[in-house]
Amino acid sequence: QVHLVETGGGSVQAGGSLTLSCGTASRFPYMAWFRQAPGKEREGIAAIFDVDGTTYYADSAKGRFSVSQDNPENSLHLHMNNLTSDDTAMYYCASSLGWVRRPLLPDEYTYWGQGTQVTVSA
């Protein structure tokens, strides 16, 4: 019943920018972006706590990526800048039913989108 849909993926050259969006049916206290490249673990990129707007970023995303939430549309966004080939992955939007202890860990989240592919060419 609850589902998330990611959009905005595509191909971009290194150094470029891309913005991903996640459409949600409801508001959640925590929402996050993850990514997974072939042969690699799913990696938490950015998360946001809806109550006070606190954001969390992986080291790989700090200074380059920005997560935001748009209400009342219940949309989550990931603004990505200065992209490199290492950013190539399937990007997923996720949401939590309630409080999470570690916002960038996949196991903390209940609902997931289908993913959108981001490919960065060097």
Side-chain angles (χ1 to χ4, degrees):
Q1 185 175 17
V2 177
H3 60 92
L4 311 172
V5 179
E6 304 96 333
T7 59
S11 298
V12 63
Q13 291 187 332
S17 301
L18 204 62
T19 297
L20 307 182
S21 297
C22 174
T24 67
S26 305
R27 291 184 65 180
F28 300 91
Y30 284 90
M31 295 193 70
W33 287 98
F34 293 82
R35 69 185 182 188
Q36 187 167 24
K40 298 183 179 180
E41 297 290 327
R42 187 163 296 188
E43 176 188 16
I45 300 301
I48 186 167
F49 182 42
D50 186 52
V51 175
D52 61 8
T54 300
T55 56
Y56 310 83
Y57 295 97
D59 288 340
S60 60
K62 291 179 180 178
R64 298 190 302 124
F65 293 4
S66 178
V67 64
S68 64
Q69 196 168 53
D70 185 19
N71 299 123
E73 295 182 0
N74 297 328
S75 298
L76 184 72
H77 307 283
L78 182 66
H79 309 278
M80 304 184 291
N81 302 303
N82 300 317
L83 289 164
T84 73
S85 296
D86 291 335
D87 296 315
T88 295
M90 184 74 75
Y91 284 71
Y92 299 90
C93 174
S95 63
S96 171
L97 290 174
W99 178 84
V100 300
R101 185 173 64 182
R102 292 170 288 184
L104 296 180
L105 292 185
D107 288 348
E108 297 279 14
Y109 294 85
T110 302
Y111 301 106
W112 294 82
Q114 83 288 349
T116 185
Q117 179 68 39
V118 172
T119 302
V120 183
S121 60

